[in-house]
Amino acid sequence: MGLFDIFRRHKKHEDKQEERSQQEEKEQKVADAHVDSEVATTSQSASSESEAQEEAPEVDQDSSTTTEAQPQNEEVSDDSLSGSSSSVEQNAESASTIEEETVTSQNDEPEEEAPTTKSSSQVAEVSTPAPESEVNGDVQEEAEESAAASDDETVDEESTAAKYDQGLEKSRTGFGARLNRFLANFRHVDEDFFDDLEDLLIESDVGYDMAMKLSDELREEVKLQNAKSKQEVSNVIIEKMVELYDRAGKDEKSDLNFAKEGPTVIMFVGVNGAGKTTTIGKMAALFKSQGKKVLLAAADTFRAGATEQLDVWAKRDGVDIVTGPENGDPAAVVFDAVQKAKKENYDILFVDTAGRLQNKVNLMKELAKMKRILTREIPDAPHEVLLVLDATTGQNALNQAKLFKESTDVTGIVLTKLDGTARGGIVLAIRNELHLPVKYVGLGEKVNDLQKFDASEFVYGLFKDLVEVD
């Protein structure tokens, strides 16, 4: 997907999001107005009831006064009392007789009509089809579920875009400042223009090779001759960078390679301090949340505290871990872990490895030994060898990648701490010079800030404020 296609897609998505927000705001205003109306109605009703209750005691007081006055004005005789009591008894007997007749008649009616009623209900149960309301209800329920799924996808997409936006803010700001300084001196395309452009790209950590390649291609195509404004110049430079980036990664596979059967084994390599152990902990949490059965192997036995650090992550994530003694044989830990993974049907085995031994030769020999054990136990293992790089180190990270690629079969990159640096352009250099896919990026400190790498989101997040589209 070309640069402007990416930006148009994001712009369209942002426009829809803005429309949805405005619609929700309107609906909220209508709901608030409805609530205010109901509150006003309830208040008026309560006021009317209160007035009625205030008037009621006055009436009761008058009637009680009349009732109390009556005994004072009239004398009640014993005969009248006895007559009154006998009258009450007769009325009670009469009422009792009527009640018995009524009960009898009520008991007689159901006995005659019950069989007919029961029969008609049975026929209704057999012959009556499902009510239309129930059918419509099922259809509506399915529609609601479909809409909910669509909303979840939209929320996920918005969440990912927001994470890339925030995680690449420093890189975007740093590159934008350099580009603005470069364009401030723009008059026309000459040799000084290309020299300044090369300096800009090298300062932005896109790599020396890519800077030279971009400068040469722009010279050949002479695209900037038609650019009359600073914004047009900016668009042309960034568009060409994205074209080179896409071309370099034409055959790359950014998805992880999973085993067809049995446990998937992923080794993590990289220098100490790059974030290997933390990356393993975050990825374990990610796959555990997807329902995978995850096992960790603490094979970095030479770094003090490495096993304890990974054990803390295992407990936090709720996954199992295989450990060994400090300064013990890392290959022995790997052997025990792969045996456990096979025997107990784990889905994924993450292997933490040492980042430094006495020297480079010893480190590479140890990594090769672990790989031999994995391949012996599971022929296709390791299914991935992920190199963890610290984005804040810029060109040093690129040099580390070259070193590990020469010594091991690295299949992909995990770029950590991308949110804490202005050197996000290192992603372009890794693809252009090493032809290795960046598979995951760290966009923050939270567990869910480790994100699967999305090239279009990365390009948009890096150049968001620097490109204008129709």
Side-chain angles (χ1 to χ4, degrees):
M1 183 179 291
L3 173 70
F4 296 113
D5 291 332
I6 292 172
F7 274 72
R8 289 189 186 98
R9 181 174 66 84
H10 277 82
K11 188 174 184 300
K12 184 177 180 181
H13 177 72
E14 289 174 356
D15 290 343
K16 286 183 178 179
Q17 186 177 353
E18 185 176 354
E19 289 177 5
R20 187 165 62 250
S21 299
Q22 291 175 353
Q23 182 64 27
E24 290 175 354
E25 186 176 350
K26 290 180 181 178
E27 292 175 355
Q28 185 62 41
K29 287 181 180 179
V30 172
D32 291 342
H34 182 66
V35 170
D36 292 342
S37 176
E38 288 184 350
V39 170
T41 304
T42 305
S43 177
Q44 292 176 357
S45 176
S47 177
S48 301
E49 291 179 0
S50 177
E51 291 176 359
Q53 288 176 355
E54 289 177 359
E55 294 175 357
E58 296 178 1
V59 176
D60 293 343
Q61 187 175 0
D62 293 341
S63 61
S64 62
T65 304
T66 306
T67 305
E68 289 173 358
Q70 188 176 1
Q72 294 176 357
N73 297 330
E74 295 180 3
E75 295 181 359
V76 180
S77 63
D78 293 339
D79 293 338
S80 62
L81 287 173
S82 60
S84 176
S85 62
S86 62
S87 173
V88 170
E89 289 176 359
Q90 290 176 358
N91 292 336
E93 290 177 0
S94 175
S96 176
T97 304
I98 294 171
E99 185 177 353
E100 289 177 0
E101 292 176 355
T102 304
V103 170
T104 303
S105 62
Q106 288 176 348
N107 290 337
D108 291 343
E109 289 176 0
E111 292 180 0
E112 296 177 359
E113 297 180 358
T116 306
T117 305
K118 184 176 181 181
S119 175
S120 61
S121 66
Q122 289 175 343
V123 172
E125 289 175 3
V126 174
S127 60
T128 304
E132 184 178 352
S133 60
E134 292 183 7
V135 176
N136 293 338
D138 293 340
V139 173
Q140 184 177 1
E141 186 176 349
E142 290 178 2
E144 289 175 354
E145 290 176 357
S146 177
S150 177
D151 290 342
D152 290 341
E153 291 177 1
T154 303
V155 170
D156 291 341
E157 186 176 351
E158 291 174 359
S159 176
T160 301
K163 288 182 183 298
Y164 271 89
D165 185 17
Q166 296 170 5
L168 292 168
E169 183 177 2
K170 287 187 177 181
S171 294
R172 180 170 63 247
T173 303
F175 183 80
R178 295 186 185 99
L179 185 61
N180 287 333
R181 286 198 301 269
F182 169 72
L183 294 177
N185 299 321
F186 171 69
R187 296 293 180 272
H188 56 275
V189 178
D190 55 16
E191 197 59 34
D192 290 338
F193 171 86
F194 288 107
D195 289 341
D196 292 342
L197 176 61
E198 290 167 4
D199 292 340
L200 161 71
L201 297 172
I202 292 172
E203 288 176 5
S204 303
D205 287 288
V206 301
Y208 178 82
D209 289 348
M210 186 169 191
M212 296 300 104
K213 192 177 295 185
L214 177 60
S215 179
D216 291 342
E217 292 204 11
L218 287 174
R219 275 191 180 93
E220 291 176 5
E221 298 179 14
V222 202
K223 284 188 175 182
L224 293 180
Q225 288 184 357
N226 297 323
K228 297 181 175 61
S229 67
K230 293 180 180 180
Q231 185 59 57
E232 289 175 340
V233 174
S234 175
N235 283 3
V236 169
I237 292 172
I238 295 172
E239 181 183 18
K240 196 62 186 177
M241 288 175 65
V242 174
E243 283 181 13
L244 290 174
Y245 177 72
D246 288 341
R247 194 188 309 164
K250 184 177 180 181
D251 298 324
E252 281 183 1
K253 180 184 177 184
S254 59
D255 294 330
L256 291 178
N257 180 38
F258 288 94
K260 295 179 180 178
E261 59 180 4
T264 296
V265 181
I266 301 177
M267 280 184 67
F268 291 81
V269 299
V271 300
N272 291 340
K276 284 196 311 297
T277 306
T278 301
T279 297
I280 293 172
K282 290 181 177 181
M283 287 190 73
L286 172 65
F287 286 106
K288 174 70 182 302
S289 68
Q290 295 175 1
K292 304 289 187 183
K293 188 178 181 182
V294 180
L295 178 64
L296 310 183
D300 186 2
T301 59
F302 294 99
R303 180 169 65 88
T307 298
E308 290 78 3
Q309 183 184 359
L310 192 62
D311 185 55
V312 170
W313 272 107
K315 291 176 180 175
R316 184 185 302 176
D317 297 338
V319 300
D320 296 326
I321 184 172
V322 175
T323 62
E326 188 174 345
N327 294 322
D329 184 3
V333 176
V334 171
F335 177 79
D336 292 340
V338 74
Q339 290 293 323
K340 182 179 178 66
K342 288 167 58 180
K343 186 177 180 180
E344 299 181 22
N345 297 320
Y346 283 86
D347 296 309
I348 299 177
L349 169 61
F350 290 134
V351 180
D352 191 11
T353 66
R356 184 183 64 186
L357 293 179
Q358 291 83 352
N359 55 51
K360 172 185 143 183
V361 175
N362 287 348
L363 172 61
M364 298 310 164
K365 283 183 178 179
E366 198 61 55
L367 293 176
K369 183 179 178 181
M370 286 187 273
K371 285 185 66 176
R372 285 197 304 271
I373 290 173
L374 290 171
T375 305
R376 186 184 67 200
E377 299 300 321
I378 303 175
D380 295 334
H383 302 90
E384 291 279 0
V385 179
L386 299 181
L387 173 59
V388 181
L389 297 176
D390 182 349
T392 63
T393 61
Q395 289 298 309
N396 286 336
L398 187 63
N399 294 332
Q400 292 170 21
K402 290 178 180 178
L403 175 64
F404 276 92
K405 187 181 179 184
E406 292 172 0
S407 306
T408 60
D409 296 327
V410 176
T411 59
I413 302 291
V414 178
L415 196 60
T416 65
K417 310 175 189 177
L418 197 57
D419 61 306
T421 181
R423 296 173 169 178
I426 194 65
V427 174
L428 307 177
I430 290 171
R431 173 175 277 188
N432 184 71
E433 296 188 29
L434 301 178
H435 299 285
L436 284 174
V438 175
K439 299 204 171 188
Y440 281 84
V441 288
L443 299 172
E445 297 181 357
K446 297 179 181 178
V447 173
N448 59 356
D449 286 336
L450 181 70
Q451 290 282 311
K452 182 179 176 183
F453 182 70
D454 187 314
S456 64
E457 293 292 352
F458 169 78
V459 167
Y460 185 72
L462 187 60
F463 303 123
K464 176 182 176 183
D465 300 331
L466 307 174
V467 175
E468 291 185 2
V469 295
D470 299 332

